[in-house]
Amino acid sequence: MIVANTDGAKQFITNTEEFKRVKSRAEVAYQQVLAEKGLGSEWLGWRRILRNPDKESLEHVESKASRIREEADLFISCGIGGSYLGARAVIEALSSPFRDEGPEILFAGHHLGGNYLEKLTEYLEKPKADGTAKSVYLNVISKSGSTLETALAFRVLRKWMHRTYGANAADRIVVTTGPHGGVLNKMAETYGYDKFVIPDDVGGRFSVLTPVGLLPVAVAGINIRELLYGAVNKFLECEESADDILEYASLRCAFQESGKVLDVIGSFDPELRAFTGWIQQLLGESEGKEGKGMFPVSASYSTDLHSIGQMIQQGKRNMIETFMVVHNPITGYQVTGNGEEIDGLDYLSGKSFHEINSNALDGTIEAHIEGGVPVFQIVIEALDARNLGELIYFYELFTAIYVYMLNVNPFNQPGVEDYKKAMFRKLGKEG
């Protein structure tokens, strides 16, 4: 269950008549999504996969992931943007921060740092504590197969895999790409790599509930059926009513049009640090067009209260703030007494860290609102696969509705292509 608490934002709305007009635009945008009549509606496959879940594909993912978990010490997910952010968000939210079972999950292909790739290959070569070699599996994720960051990393890692495993390398390399065409389809056909398909009508930042995200998440030991069907439940609920999302979108749009330029998206639960990064991409790449949109800033609390907290509290009043909140305790871990007063913390003895963290959250929200920052709270009941699946669809639908309210296409990213063209020209690529 997700609750969008907008009380800390609504109090900043002073022109009620104008806000009513904004809300009516939200309803129009919502109907555009339902009727598949808006800009870029050919990219609404992230709704189709929840309306009619592909059970055969799900079973294929589960089967492959089960085999990898049995055989691998290390699993590399090679991709950039939506090809890795969603999987990383779910894995970090639902896994132990210290690997205790299953293969180690590493990410590559999400930057152009040569040092990282060099050290990664050295790490692959390093034997385990018992002196035996690591068992490595590699999953490359790219619809086109030509995104430079991912393609270069895959070239390095694929070469290592074939040198290390010889003829058996093909059994350890998995390709996730579009249904046809592109470099990776050609490689899969040539070398016999196992393949998973990214649907043609699903863009990268909306692809976490396809094999793009589901395979790495399943390899990490997370129940992908719970994740997927949590999203399905939210999809069905929102087909009937999306009032909370419409209220949230209306308020955010009203703030954007009144001059707010930053949305600081954070959580007091460090498990959600990568999830706020996924939201940052989802919103930033969807709304940042034609001189419109707010800049989404990902933050981690209470850590960042000691860095950007001062700016939020007393800086320029050009921002809003969104908190991801987990209602139920993730752990019951408590502060214990130590029989001495030297550290001055005995007043916290017997309190759980959840209680302390919750009070820090409430105090921060109170202070920031008093400082003039509109605050949203997006609350999930518990940190588990089903609730996270609901939250994924909540934000996918919210993004589509909100960006339609700006009268731009939520699903393209023309600006991303600009840097690629300039980069390839400087590198001397022909054409």
Side-chain angles (χ1 to χ4, degrees):
M1 178 180 174
I2 300 172
V3 175
N5 183 340
T6 60
D7 292 344
K10 282 190 292 188
Q11 60 188 276
F12 290 90
I13 298 295
T14 55
N15 189 332
T16 55
E17 289 303 314
E18 177 60 28
F19 183 62
K20 287 179 182 178
R21 287 191 285 271
V22 175
K23 287 192 74 172
S24 68
R25 285 163 50 198
E27 181 60 40
V28 171
Y30 173 50
Q31 293 303 323
Q32 283 181 300
V33 175
L34 296 183
E36 301 187 0
K37 298 295 186 182
L39 293 168
S41 58
E42 67 273 18
W43 291 98
L44 288 171
W46 49 275
R47 287 170 42 78
R48 176 188 55 78
I49 62 174
L50 300 179
R51 185 185 297 113
N52 299 298
D54 187 341
K55 296 179 181 179
E56 184 176 342
S57 176
L58 187 64
E59 289 172 358
H60 183 194
V61 170
E62 289 176 322
S63 175
K64 187 67 177 183
S66 177
R67 179 186 165 192
I68 293 173
R69 279 184 60 79
E70 288 177 3
E71 299 178 4
D73 297 306
L74 197 151
F75 176 83
I76 304 171
S77 175
C78 185
I80 194 169
S83 294
Y84 92 103
L85 284 170
R88 186 173 191 170
V90 175
I91 290 168
E92 291 191 12
L94 301 180
S95 302
S96 169
F98 309 103
R99 177 175 171 253
D100 48 12
E101 62 177 17
E104 183 178 4
I105 311 293
L106 295 179
F107 296 91
H110 53 293
H111 53 64
L112 292 168
N115 180 60
Y116 180 89
L117 270 178
E118 183 179 26
K119 298 304 180 186
L120 174 57
T121 55
E122 289 175 3
Y123 180 63
L124 300 182
E125 296 278 3
K126 186 178 179 180
K128 296 186 293 183
D130 63 5
T132 61
K134 295 184 180 81
S135 173
V136 180
Y137 278 74
L138 171 63
N139 176 208
V140 60
I141 307 160
S142 175
K143 187 172 269 188
S144 68
S146 58
T147 302
L148 187 61
E149 295 89 341
T150 300
L152 274 177
F154 184 51
R155 168 182 274 207
V156 171
L157 295 170
R158 186 169 67 90
K159 182 178 179 180
W160 185 91
M161 295 289 288
H162 279 273
R163 186 177 71 246
T164 303
Y165 297 109
N168 294 324
D171 294 331
R172 293 172 171 268
I173 298 175
V174 183
V175 166
T176 305
T177 190
H180 44 72
V183 176
L184 293 181
N185 272 304
K186 186 175 181 179
M187 286 188 179
E189 293 167 6
T190 301
Y191 297 102
Y193 302 148
D194 200 358
K195 173 185 164 183
F196 289 90
V197 172
I198 308 171
D200 270 338
D201 56 358
V202 180
R205 58 188 176 276
F206 289 84
S207 66
V208 60
L209 297 174
T210 74
V212 167
L214 293 181
L215 180 61
V217 168
V219 170
I222 295 164
N223 189 326
I224 58 173
R225 286 182 182 265
E226 286 289 302
L227 182 75
L228 179 64
Y229 284 97
V232 169
N233 287 343
K234 191 63 182 175
F235 166 81
L236 295 174
E237 176 189 315
C238 291
E239 292 296 277
E240 299 297 323
S241 172
D243 289 345
D244 54 344
I245 293 177
L246 296 181
E247 176 83 358
Y248 177 21
S250 299
L251 287 164
R252 193 175 190 272
C253 187
F255 290 130
Q256 190 265 159
E257 293 180 350
S258 70
K260 302 296 186 186
V261 297
L262 299 172
D263 183 359
V264 184
I265 305 167
S267 178
F268 271 75
D269 292 297
E271 292 82 1
L272 291 176
R273 179 67 179 89
F275 199 90
T276 62
W278 174 75
I279 296 172
Q280 181 182 49
Q281 189 219 5
L282 183 67
L283 285 170
E285 210 166 67
S286 298
E287 66 177 303
K289 298 155 195 171
E290 300 177 21
K292 300 175 183 177
M294 277 192 276
F295 192 96
V297 180
S298 178
S300 183
Y301 298 127
S302 61
T303 304
D304 284 334
L305 291 178
H306 300 264
S307 57
I308 60 173
Q310 174 64 41
M311 175 63 74
I312 296 171
Q313 187 67 47
Q314 295 182 325
K316 190 172 182 179
R317 301 299 77 186
N318 62 349
M319 68 186 73
I320 66 172
E321 196 167 17
T322 306
F323 287 96
M324 302 290 111
V325 181
V326 181
H327 181 264
N328 292 341
I330 299 172
T331 176
Y333 198 57
Q334 292 185 342
V335 178
T336 57
N338 60 6
E340 61 180 9
E341 290 286 346
I342 193 168
D343 63 6
L345 295 176
D346 274 3
Y347 74 100
L348 295 175
S349 295
K351 294 184 184 294
S352 70
F353 276 83
H354 175 78
E355 181 183 355
I356 296 168
N357 208 28
S358 295
N359 278 278
L361 166 66
D362 292 343
T364 301
I365 290 173
E366 179 181 305
H368 288 183
I369 290 174
E370 289 178 357
V373 180
V375 172
F376 295 96
Q377 295 181 66
I378 309 303
V379 185
I380 63 172
E381 186 175 2
L383 192 60
D384 56 31
R386 184 163 290 264
N387 276 277
L388 215 57
E390 287 194 22
L391 188 60
I392 287 169
Y393 183 71
F394 175 95
Y395 261 100
E396 289 179 338
L397 180 59
F398 166 79
T399 299
I401 291 172
Y402 171 74
V403 179
Y404 274 153
M405 293 176 71
L406 304 182
N407 293 316
V408 297
N409 185 342
F411 308 115
N412 65 354
Q413 51 278 341
V416 174
E417 302 308 314
D418 292 342
Y419 101 83
K420 290 182 180 179
K421 291 174 184 176
M423 174 181 65
F424 286 135
R425 184 178 68 251
K426 289 180 177 294
L427 289 170
K429 181 178 180 181
E430 293 184 3

